[in-house]
Amino acid sequence: MTADMTRRTALARRLAGLSPDQRAELERRLAERARTPAPGGTARIPPRAAGAGPLPLSWSQEHMWHRHRADPSGAAYSVPLRVRLEGDLRTEVLRAAFGDLVARHEILRTTYGERDGGPYQLVHDDAGVEVEFADLRGAQDTGAEVAARLAAEAARPYDLAEGPLFRAVLLRTADEVHVLSLVLHHILTDERSAGLLLTEFVEAYDRRLNGRPPAAAPRLQYADYAVWQRSGRAGDSAAAGLRRRVARLAGMPGEIRLPADRPRPPRPTGRGGAVGATVGPEPWHRLRELAREAQATEVMVLLAVFQVLLRQESGQDDITVTLPEAGRVHPDLEDVLGCFFNTVAVRCDLSGTPSFRTLLGEVRARCLEAYDDRDVPFAEVVDAVTGGRAESRHPLLQTMLIFEREGAGRPVEFAGLRMTPLGVPTAHRGARAKRDLTLVAVDQGDTARVDLVYDADLFDPATAEALLGRYLTLLSSLTTDPDGRLGT
């Protein structure tokens, strides 16, 4: 959501200033473009045939559907979006704008049922959306009340078969200040889609406020993508990519043996916690300089440090860490709302005593290999490598690194309002744990925020604090002397 949201909002403001003739010409050109081949000669993704019957889930959705079934009362896959709205907010316009968004995007009015042991998705015609409203101006401690309401909203369970899977709550905290909370199940959305949703809300609100008609529905809906993916038209290279990914992970250890405080339970409960710290300007600058010198990215440096930590803690040289990937593998999918999230696994051999600079080169090469096959659904990789999902742990998903940029904090001005996206607090990051350890690094410009989310079934808070402290120590020392041997 981040810088992309800011860019799109600026574009929406420019579009709002076009004359009716200019807008008509733009819509004509966009319609013409939709009928032309995609860039690079790639065949367009076709809309699904009408009356196609029960619709399949995408690979990403099916993975989340299975995880939800294992813990239907939990909120591990709850995606909260929070913004502060300052100015003369028209609540009736806001409700109408969300109604327009739900009418425009089928994914926001879709539920997920089960038939013959497998899932299917059902798109509903009803475009209504409920926006709950609460006036907290008289609360004794407004800040605490808002925090409690937001936490409770994010923790509410979902019924995938009944819905709703998209919820909106508007909290009034002062005469011209509101906090808007949107919560979606992850089966509907990913980070890119979350930014797109907020951007389209800005445009939909502006259209309603100024009496302009709602934006037309996009050429493609997410269900079109799911049908295309399942039909095999996603590309013949997927099978070859699966073979490559499985080969890279062949013979890997069943788990990274970290010194936990308790034995692993028969089934994960999802109980989580989180600890956080700040990377100061000096070490963050050194990290960026090292990345530039190595023709790498910040996430590659962060990943290399994380793998060194996991090697020290486990005593193992064969370390695999997973990374999230946007998953939009076709140009037609850039503006489609839905869950395209995928995962790639980066496996490195840390045996011997290479320098950190040498290890960083290895991590860079393994990351580029993994990204080359990012169109392969990770659920398929898990099943192929493990022969099925283990009950007591997350196969190939025990450790993850997530990297974000804090463009989300930039205010957006529109329709007499100032919208400031609110970050997700560390406590919420750790509300549920999908894996043993997840390192979340947020680029804040001159500094970075690092949160370590941990499985509370395995680790105590003090242990997580110690692990994070050792990670930050390694980050500082390895970027100060990247040519020193890791064994020292």
Side-chain angles (χ1 to χ4, degrees), residues 99-420:
D100 293 340
L101 290 180
V102 174
R104 175 173 162 78
H105 294 286
E106 292 178 351
I107 191 75
L108 299 178
R109 44 189 165 90
T110 298
T111 56
Y112 303 86
E114 181 178 0
R115 178 177 299 171
D116 299 327
Y120 68 92
Q121 57 176 307
L122 179 64
V123 178
H124 299 271
D125 293 331
D126 182 12
V129 59
E130 291 293 329
V131 180
E132 297 182 28
F133 178 80
D135 192 337
L136 305 181
R137 286 177 294 179
Q140 188 172 13
D141 187 339
T142 303
E145 182 67 20
V146 168
R149 294 283 188 110
L150 295 179
E153 194 62 26
R156 281 173 56 188
Y158 296 90
D159 185 333
L160 295 187
E162 294 295 328
L165 306 181
F166 168 47
R167 304 190 293 249
V169 175
L170 185 65
L171 306 175
R172 188 171 191 177
T173 60
D175 287 348
E176 291 197 343
V177 181
H178 294 77
V179 173
L180 175 65
S181 168
L182 308 178
V183 183
L184 301 85
H185 193 285
H186 205 341
I187 204 168
L188 305 186
T189 190
D190 56 18
E191 182 182 4
R192 174 69 177 274
S193 294
L196 179 61
L197 180 63
L198 286 179
T199 301
E200 290 205 7
F201 160 68
V202 168
E203 182 178 1
Y205 184 95
D206 187 80
R207 282 174 173 269
R208 280 284 179 172
L209 186 66
N210 291 289
R212 292 187 287 117
R219 187 183 73 89
L220 284 182
Q221 298 286 342
Y222 186 84
D224 300 324
Y225 160 73
V227 170
W228 173 77
Q229 184 189 60
R230 292 291 193 166
S231 70
R233 285 176 285 179
D236 296 334
S237 64
L242 176 61
R243 288 193 296 271
R244 287 192 295 269
R245 290 186 73 173
V246 170
R248 287 196 289 267
L249 299 176
M252 65 176 290
E255 64 178 312
I256 299 176
R257 298 183 296 273
L258 298 170
D261 296 300
R262 284 169 293 282
R264 189 180 298 277
R267 291 177 64 101
T269 67
R271 291 192 312 112
V275 294
T278 298
V279 179
E282 186 176 341
W284 191 237
H285 174 73
R286 289 199 306 268
L287 182 148
R288 284 176 159 167
E289 282 298 302
L290 180 58
R292 183 186 59 79
E293 292 168 5
Q295 295 184 316
T297 62
E298 294 102 322
V299 71
M300 293 175 183
V301 182
L302 292 163
L303 174 60
V305 177
F306 195 28
Q307 289 185 316
V308 172
L309 174 70
L310 295 173
R311 178 201 192 191
Q312 290 186 349
E313 296 298 323
S314 68
Q316 298 168 245
D317 294 327
D318 191 343
I319 301 293
T320 301
V321 176
T322 53
L323 302 173
E325 210 284 319
R328 294 175 187 258
V329 297
H330 192 287
D332 280 353
L333 304 175
E334 285 300 304
D335 293 329
V336 177
L337 199 68
C339 176
F340 297 94
F341 174 89
N342 199 10
T343 302
V344 296
V346 180
R347 181 186 186 184
C348 285
D349 180 1
L350 281 74
S351 60
T353 55
S355 69
F356 183 68
R357 193 184 299 274
T358 300
L359 173 63
L360 178 57
E362 174 74 5
V363 169
R364 177 183 181 276
R366 300 291 79 78
C367 283
L368 294 177
E369 282 182 350
Y371 291 144
D372 281 344
D373 295 322
R374 64 187 182 275
D375 57 334
V376 180
F378 193 64
E380 287 192 275
V381 179
V382 170
D383 287 343
V385 173
T386 67
R389 297 174 175 82
E391 293 293 331
S392 62
R393 58 184 172 83
H394 308 285
L396 307 186
L397 276 171
Q398 299 156 45
T399 57
M400 176 172 269
L401 173 67
I402 299 173
F403 181 66
E404 303 170 351
R405 298 192 189 275
E406 201 178 61
R410 299 172 185 168
V412 175
E413 308 276 353
F414 71 102
L417 296 171
R418 180 181 179 87
M419 181 175 75
T420 305

